[in-house]
Amino acid sequence: MKARAFLPVLLFGLVTVSCRKPDEVEISETRVLTTLDEEPAVNATSSEQFLPPEVLSQIQASGQSLDGSEAAAGSSAWIYLLPAADWKEADKAPMREVNLTFGDGEQAGEVYLSVSGGGLQPNVDRWYRQFGADTQPIAELGRLEFLGKQGYLVEATGRYEPGMGRPGKDGQALLGAIVEDQGRLVTVKMIGPEADVQARREQFVKFVASLARK
């Protein structure tokens, strides 16, 4: 009986406490609003969510659709623009953070991104050696936009000897981009039949310029 008599008193006390006017809170600090405070774009595509604004602006200005020949894509660590319909995602491969192909059949070429250590000149020298070509000093190489910086452009033609037990091929060409970023070397190499690589030079430059870290 005592427990039953105590219950209404307890409930009354809880109701009274919950109805009290909360204490006034004084704001002592403020902060600048960031993009995290923006309303989430519920219907935004993955391209609109992840591609850098400058890349999206470039696509929109050119009149291209992200669902057309220029498609936004990405790996686990990178986002980028596929500049033509025949650029395709390839299977994952060791030491390649992005792995793509272009063209069809036996004439298909490859485009891949790697992150490594070492110096700029030693890497460039190795690329030239794979084509049996004389090396060039870094200072004499062409330049291109790469991760918001001015990267170096390497070009070579001839017989390609990839090494690692892979057979060599005649009539090949290389377009390579290399830049130092976050204490590492980021490289992109396009390798394939000489005529196809040369015809895709503009595509290669556009692809490299679109690359960004997630």
Side-chain angles (χ1 to χ4, degrees), residues 31-47:
R31 66 179 176 84
V32 178
L33 292 177
T34 70
T35 54
L36 297 177
D37 299 294
E38 297 177 355
E39 289 289 336
V42 177
N43 297 319
T45 65
S46 59
S47 302

Side-chain angles (χ1 to χ4, degrees), residues 69-146:
S69 61
E70 291 191 347
S75 67
S76 60
W78 300 89
I79 49 177
Y80 42 84
L81 189 69
L82 297 181
D86 67 346
W87 285 52
K88 306 293 184 182
E89 302 281 348
D91 295 335
K92 293 182 178 180
M95 302 183 69
R96 297 185 180 189
E97 296 195 8
V98 176
N99 196 26
L100 309 170
T101 63
F102 63 87
D104 298 306
E106 295 182 356
Q107 296 300 307
E110 58 184 357
V111 179
Y112 58 91
L113 178 149
S114 301
V115 179
S116 64
L120 288 167
Q121 191 68 57
N123 277 270
V124 169
D125 292 346
R126 177 169 51 82
W127 294 0
Y128 280 121
R129 286 197 302 270
Q130 289 177 318
F131 280 82
D134 294 332
T135 188
Q136 294 186 39
I138 283 288
E140 297 180 8
L141 297 177
R143 308 300 292 269
L144 78 172
E145 182 181 349
F146 194 177

Side-chain angles (χ1 to χ4, degrees), residues 4-73:
R4 292 181 179 179
F6 178 72
L7 184 59
V9 176
L10 177 62
L11 293 175
F12 176 77
L14 292 173
V15 171
T16 302
V17 171
S18 63
C19 294
R20 288 179 181 175
K21 182 178 179 181
D23 296 334
E24 293 185 0
V25 176
E26 180 180 354
I27 299 175
S28 59
E29 295 183 5
T30 62
R31 66 179 176 84
V32 178
L33 292 177
T34 70
T35 54
L36 297 177
D37 299 294
E38 297 177 355
E39 289 289 336
V42 177
N43 297 319
T45 65
S46 59
S47 302
E48 293 169 333
Q49 292 174 355
F50 296 118
L51 277 178
E54 60 271 18
V55 175
L56 284 173
S57 299
Q58 178 183 359
I59 298 171
Q60 294 165 352
S62 66
Q64 295 286 344
S65 170
L66 291 176
D67 297 324
S69 61
E70 291 191 347

